[in-house]
């Protein structure tokens, strides 16, 4: 794994977005993996390793998370900002086309990019995110965001085990990995989660209504795999059925009994993504 960063622009200046890179740097087949709202790039270590022979895999810490800079006060964490940041990243990578794996928020970013004219997105894997997000799911998510404090990494791990119930199938080593990369140390030696607490403000502002992404998603023409935890409150059965009806060619990977959002760290999930990407790579 190699680590680098790119300067991106916000209304008050520049900020640094860190990304991790796997595989041959000369490989012209590039895969971008983007995490969920309060997560970070290290969620994709296992998937990136599995795909590093096929792809140059790029895993950014979206601004405000992980090792990337926080946005200054007064600058919103929103999709237009993330699209600009990713555009700067793609320019740094000097590539015309990329494949995309996006979990939750990362899927929304990929969807928005793929919907644009002359999009660089060649194929799109949407992990438990679709064309409609119910208000109730946004309210649940907003409840666990915030400025949580911990005395030690074990407390961080226990918090994550309680919060991310979709990750129940992970090994103890994987949980330690998430806790290690999911916290930051404060000046008073307390630990906090590895994101800007202001992320909660953006989610709270959006939780008063459903989010309808149908007009955007309908503009996406590249091949797509929809990963669906069939007990997810973010991606419900009605939305999946509507997406399949509108685009019968949509590939679906259903994970029975899974809530939002699959980790993509379990071997069965990794194998499904690898198979789908390899299949479309060879077309």
């Amino acid at each position: 794994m190699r680590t680098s960063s790119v300067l991106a622009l916000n209304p008050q200046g520049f900020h640094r977005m860190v990304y991790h890179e796997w595989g041959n740097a000369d490989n012209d087949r590039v895969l971008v993996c983007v995490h969920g709202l309060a997560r970070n790039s290290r969620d994709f270590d296992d998937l990136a390793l599995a795909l590093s022979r096929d792809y140059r895999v790029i895993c950014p810490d979206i601004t405000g998370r992980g090792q990337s800079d926080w946005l200054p006060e007064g600058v919103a964490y929103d999709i237009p900002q993330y699209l600009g940041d990713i555009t700067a990243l793609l320019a740094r990578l000097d590539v015309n086309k990329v494949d995309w794996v996006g979990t939750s928020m990362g899927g929304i970013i990929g969807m928005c990019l793929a919907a644009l004219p002359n999009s660089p997105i060649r194929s799109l894997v949407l992990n438990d995110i679709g064309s409609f997000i119910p208000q109730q799911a946004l309210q649940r998510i907003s409840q666990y965001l915030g400025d949580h404090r911990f005395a030690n990494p074990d407390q961080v791990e226990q918090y994550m085990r309680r919060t991310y119930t979709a990750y129940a199938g992970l090994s103890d080593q994987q949980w330690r990995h998430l806790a290690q990369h999911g916290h930051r140390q404060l000046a008073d030696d307390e630990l906090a989660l590895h994101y800007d607490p202001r992320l909660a403000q953006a989610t709270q502002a959006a939780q008063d209504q459903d989010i309808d992404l149908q007009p955007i998603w309908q503009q996406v023409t590249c091949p797509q795999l929809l990963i669906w935890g069939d007990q997810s409150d973010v991606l419900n059965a009605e939305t999946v059925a509507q997406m399949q009806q509108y685009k019968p060619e949509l590939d679906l990977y259903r994970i029975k009994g899974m809530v939002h959002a699959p980790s993509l760290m379990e071997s069965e999930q990794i194998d499904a993504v690898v198979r789908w990407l390899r299949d479309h790579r060879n077309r």
Side-chain angles (χ1 to χ4, degrees), residues 99-117:
D99 298 287
W100 188 280
V101 174
T103 294
S104 198
M105 178 196 72
I108 296 176
I109 297 171
M111 189 189 307
C112 291
L113 286 170
L116 294 171

Side-chain angles (χ1 to χ4, degrees), residues 6-192:
V6 61
L7 281 178
L9 184 65
N10 67 72
Q12 296 185 23
F14 288 92
H15 57 274
R16 185 178 60 98
M17 183 171 71
V18 170
Y19 62 93
H20 305 290
E21 182 173 349
W22 303 72
N24 188 340
D26 295 325
N27 191 345
D28 59 2
R29 193 79 184 207
V30 176
L31 174 68
V32 178
C33 300
V34 180
H35 56 77
L37 178 66
R39 305 299 311 142
N40 64 74
S41 62
R42 303 305 300 273
D43 288 0
F44 291 111
D45 280 12
D46 292 341
L47 181 64
L49 181 61
L51 284 162
S52 59
R53 291 186 179 180
D54 301 295
Y55 287 93
R56 178 187 178 193
V57 185
I58 307 295
C59 305
D61 281 332
I62 295 298
T63 305
R65 292 89 168 168
Q67 296 179 339
S68 292
D69 289 345
W70 294 2
L71 292 175
E73 288 286 341
V75 177
Y77 287 103
D78 56 22
I79 296 298
Q81 179 64 61
Y82 304 149
L83 296 182
D85 292 353
I86 292 295
T87 300
L89 173 61
L90 296 181
R92 162 65 65 83
L93 299 176
D94 192 23
V95 292
N96 295 319
K97 290 289 182 180
V98 298
D99 298 287
W100 188 280
V101 174
T103 294
S104 198
M105 178 196 72
I108 296 176
I109 297 171
M111 189 189 307
C112 291
L113 286 170
L116 294 171
N118 304 313
S119 173
I121 307 300
R122 180 190 291 110
S123 68
L124 180 62
V125 178
L126 298 172
N127 182 21
D128 212 52
I129 193 72
S131 59
F132 183 83
I133 307 171
Q135 175 186 357
Q136 293 88 343
L138 296 170
Q139 291 173 339
R140 177 188 61 79
I141 291 169
S142 69
Q143 290 174 359
Y144 70 73
L145 293 175
D147 193 11
H148 303 285
R149 302 297 177 91
F150 309 93
N152 54 60
D154 287 341
Q155 289 186 4
V156 176
E157 180 179 330
Q158 292 307 311
Y159 166 84
M160 290 184 171
R161 286 178 181 263
R162 293 192 305 270
T163 302
Y164 299 110
T165 55
Y167 295 4
L170 298 186
S171 67
D172 289 343
Q173 181 179 356
Q174 288 174 314
W175 279 113
R176 287 192 293 271
H177 172 88
L178 293 178
Q180 176 187 352
H181 297 288
H183 77 266
R184 53 192 167 88
Q185 187 161 350
L186 305 176
D188 58 5
D189 288 335
E190 280 192 310
L191 306 180

